[in-house]
Amino acid sequence: MTKRDTEYQPLLEGITETKQKIKCPNTSLLLAICAACIGGTFQYGYNISIINSPTKSVQNFINQTWLERYEENISEQYLTLLWSSIVSIFTIGGFIGATIGGTLAIKFGRKGTLMMNNAFALLAALLMGLSYPTGLFELLIIGRFFTGVNAGIGICVQPLYLGEIAPRALRGAMAMGTSIFITGGILTGQVIGLNELLGKEEYWPILLSTTCIPAFLQLLILPWFPESPRYLLIDRGDDVGCGTAMKQLHGTDNFDREREDMERERISAMGIKPKKPWELFMDRSLRWQVLTIILINAAQQLNGINAIYFYTDYVFEEAGIPEVNIPYVTVGTGACECLTALTCVSVNYCSEYRYFISKYLEACMEYIAELLSPGPWIPYLSMGCVFAFILSFGMGPGGVTNILITELFTQTTRPAAYMIGGSVNWLSFFFIGMAFPFIVYCFLVFLVVCVLVAVYIFLVVPETKNKTFLEIQTEFQSGEKRKASKADHSPSTTLLSTPL
């Protein structure tokens, strides 16, 4: 080798490494991700938005049923209580689903749990569809509860499955499937709820029953794809099944490095049983990881994203948009977040500092807009801030929160970590839904949450780009983790995920 070849060797190695990083994933892997997401986080997003359209129609049905039963109109307070129960029972079901999702994932596997989870969606669709012909509005409450259980299990197990089947270099990008399908579900629910489709009053039982469609699609598609190779090898000891699954997901010549990582993790986990959630709290070596997922999942709900969805109609009404057009502008907010999630997969902008800034700006912009709202032209600025708010959320916490649990824990602790993170997420969701009417004019609360969590991430969470799960765990336990993170920092470094 000549002197010139020696000088250019590091550059050539860097080019080769870059080509490997941007290599497109296997088609089978992409299809497996779609199959998992359509009955997982898509259902979560879909059932959040689908309930908004038939509000008045369902309330009229409740009032009519009450009149037929008791020969008197229902009181306004009790009608509001029943409607609130129909909406909020979704979060209670989600909390229960999150608490059992990890246990089911250990016992039945990641794929097996996702398949079984569709039973809750089908049962919910049946109950809500039968509520109108039977005259039982109680079936709506039960149906929404089972819808929540389905969403809770799905949002717990599906990111776990995605994080384990994706190659190390594509883990962050593939995990964006969670964000893409959540926002896609929200957008789909908003579109289907328009009057031109199923938004008319007579169609509301069909509208609420459409939750069965993603369940049927997953039952038809997901069986064609394998179980998580990491689960097969480490939890089940199925070496042959692991090899077959990796061959299908990664290609014949593209999984040796991933297999070596799994072998090392299997050796480190030999003789160790999967931990329960309370055991994670008692393990001092995991205290920072546990604290991180609690704060990150709480902040995902408490940073104001759901509040801005609740408040969108008012902002658009103040901006002078006719009431009949507000649903279409609301669809624009869903399309905005969905587009951001899609862009995150291919654009490398989620660097460490931009992630912090995006979380800070999303509350800051809305807070400023609320302070200035009395002005005659400020409502138009408020409308722009709504879209900017959603874009900034998609750039940061909306895309990377779920995959962070996969990256910070190993095979024996990961299911329990998802149970903890999911439970905190759903409880925070319930809290913001109950507390929002009292803090609707005080977005300073969201500003404080965003700033505090951004500071915590900066000080505690290490870089996870192109690292194995064992390396991330070791860095968390090391007193030099911040020094190592700064040494590896570059302009293209991401905080929590790996771009294409």
Side-chain angles (χ1 to χ4, degrees):
M1 182 178 294
T2 65
K3 182 178 180 181
R4 178 172 296 180
D5 292 337
T6 304
E7 292 175 352
Y8 284 103
Q9 185 65 24
L11 178 61
L12 294 173
E13 291 177 355
I15 294 174
T16 302
E17 184 181 358
T18 301
K19 289 182 178 179
Q20 291 175 350
K21 289 179 183 179
I22 64 175
K23 186 175 181 180
C24 293
N26 190 32
T27 303
S28 180
L29 177 62
L30 291 175
L31 294 176
I33 290 172
C34 292
C37 291
I38 192 65
T41 49
F42 181 89
Q43 286 275 39
Y44 171 79
Y46 185 76
N47 285 292
I48 284 177
S49 64
I50 202 68
I51 196 65
N52 295 326
S53 176
T55 299
K56 293 182 179 179
S57 301
V58 173
Q59 290 178 346
N60 290 337
F61 164 67
I62 294 174
N63 189 40
Q64 179 184 355
T65 304
W66 191 274
L67 181 61
E68 293 175 355
R69 287 183 187 179
Y70 306 108
E71 298 182 352
E72 64 178 3
N73 289 322
I74 188 172
S75 66
E76 188 70 25
Q77 293 80 2
Y78 198 61
L79 177 62
T80 302
L81 176 63
L82 287 175
W83 173 246
S84 299
S85 300
I86 293 172
V87 175
S88 62
I89 198 69
F90 176 77
T91 61
I92 303 300
F95 172 76
I96 293 175
T99 58
I100 64 176
T103 303
L104 294 176
I106 295 173
K107 186 173 183 179
F108 300 104
R110 286 50 164 154
K111 173 186 170 183
T113 302
L114 289 174
M115 294 289 292
M116 294 172 55
N117 189 37
N118 291 298
F120 293 107
L122 295 176
L123 179 60
L126 178 64
L127 291 174
M128 291 188 291
L130 290 175
S131 61
Y132 181 76
T134 59
L136 297 172
F137 56 78
E138 293 85 354
L139 294 180
L140 291 174
I141 300 176
I142 302 173
R144 284 286 292 178
F145 172 78
F146 284 122
T147 300
V149 174
N150 170 266
I153 295 175
I155 206 170
C156 173
V157 179
Q158 181 221 290
L160 178 62
Y161 180 71
L162 297 191
E164 292 183 355
I165 68 174
R168 186 202 309 177
L170 298 174
R171 198 163 58 220
M174 293 298 97
M176 284 302 299
T178 296
S179 179
I180 291 172
F181 277 84
I182 287 178
T183 57
I186 292 174
L187 178 60
T188 303
Q190 291 171 340
V191 172
I192 292 181
L194 294 175
N195 286 333
E196 289 78 1
L197 296 175
L198 296 178
K200 295 182 179 179
E201 183 169 0
E202 61 268 24
Y203 293 149
W204 70 261
I206 301 175
L207 178 64
L208 296 181
S209 298
T210 53
T211 187
C212 69
I213 297 176
F216 278 126
L217 288 176
Q218 187 173 71
L219 288 173
L220 290 174
I221 302 172
L222 190 58
W224 296 95
F225 299 96
E227 178 60 87
S228 161
R230 192 175 294 270
Y231 171 80
L232 292 173
L233 181 66
I234 300 176
D235 290 78
R236 294 301 184 192
D238 187 355
D239 190 65
V240 176
C242 173
T244 303
M246 295 193 73
K247 184 176 181 180
Q248 179 179 353
L249 292 171
H250 301 293
T252 55
D253 302 320
N254 196 32
F255 61 84
D256 290 341
R257 185 182 177 187
E258 303 297 326
R259 182 60 180 266
E260 292 175 1
D261 294 341
M262 292 183 193
E263 289 289 351
R264 285 194 291 268
E265 190 171 344
R266 179 171 69 166
I267 293 173
S268 69
M270 289 182 63
I272 302 176
K273 295 182 178 180
K275 292 189 175 184
K276 302 295 190 295
W278 55 88
E279 294 177 328
L280 265 61
F281 286 104
M282 298 171 62
D283 191 341
R284 292 180 61 86
S285 65
L286 298 174
R287 57 184 177 180
W288 285 110
Q289 289 97 315
V290 173
L291 180 59
T292 297
I293 64 170
I294 290 175
L295 292 178
I296 294 295
N297 278 277
Q300 190 179 31
Q301 296 295 338
L302 301 180
N303 61 14
I305 186 61
N306 284 319
I308 199 63
Y309 274 123
F310 297 155
Y311 206 43
T312 299
D313 286 0
Y314 170 78
V315 174
F316 291 154
E317 183 179 348
E318 288 295 303
I321 299 175
E323 184 178 353
V324 295
N325 294 334
I326 288 179
Y328 304 98
V329 183
T330 303
V331 169
T333 63
C336 178
E337 187 176 0
C338 188
L339 180 62
T340 303
L342 288 169
T343 307
C344 282
V345 177
S346 56
V347 178
N348 184 17
Y349 54 44
C350 287
S351 67
E352 182 173 353
Y353 296 104
R354 291 183 187 178
Y355 178 79
F356 301 150
I357 293 172
S358 70
K359 292 200 71 175
Y360 179 85
L361 289 181
E362 66 185 34
C364 187
M365 288 186 298
E366 184 61 24
Y367 175 56
I368 293 172
E370 293 305 317
L371 289 177
L372 299 176
S373 59
W377 56 273
I378 293 302
Y380 295 94
L381 175 62
S382 298
M383 184 174 63
C385 285
V386 169
F387 287 92
F389 187 106
I390 294 171
L391 283 170
S392 61
F393 176 81
M395 292 177 186
V400 297
T401 299
N402 290 309
I403 192 59
L404 180 63
I405 302 178
T406 300
E407 294 185 323
L408 297 188
F409 293 86
T410 56
Q411 195 73 10
T412 57
T413 57
R414 195 173 294 125
Y418 266 102
M419 293 169 67
I420 295 173
S423 299
V424 171
N425 197 301
W426 282 101
L427 286 176
S428 301
F429 191 177
F430 178 78
F431 171 79
I432 198 66
M434 296 295 293
F436 177 73
F438 303 98
I439 59 174
V440 67
Y441 292 106
C442 190
F443 280 82
L444 180 61
V445 174
F446 304 134
L447 174 64
V448 172
V449 170
C450 291
V451 172
L452 292 178
V453 174
V455 171
Y456 176 85
I457 293 173
F458 178 76
L459 296 176
V460 176
V461 180
E463 176 62 66
T464 63
K465 180 179 181 180
N466 285 335
K467 293 178 182 177
T468 66
F469 299 132
L470 289 177
E471 290 172 344
I472 297 170
Q473 184 184 51
T474 301
E475 187 170 351
F476 241 117
Q477 296 172 354
S478 171
E480 299 295 324
K481 60 180 178 292
R482 291 305 304 170
K483 184 185 296 184
S485 179
K486 292 180 180 179
D488 293 336
H489 182 71
S490 64
S492 62
T493 299
T494 62
L495 174 62
L496 304 173
S497 60
T498 303
L500 282 170

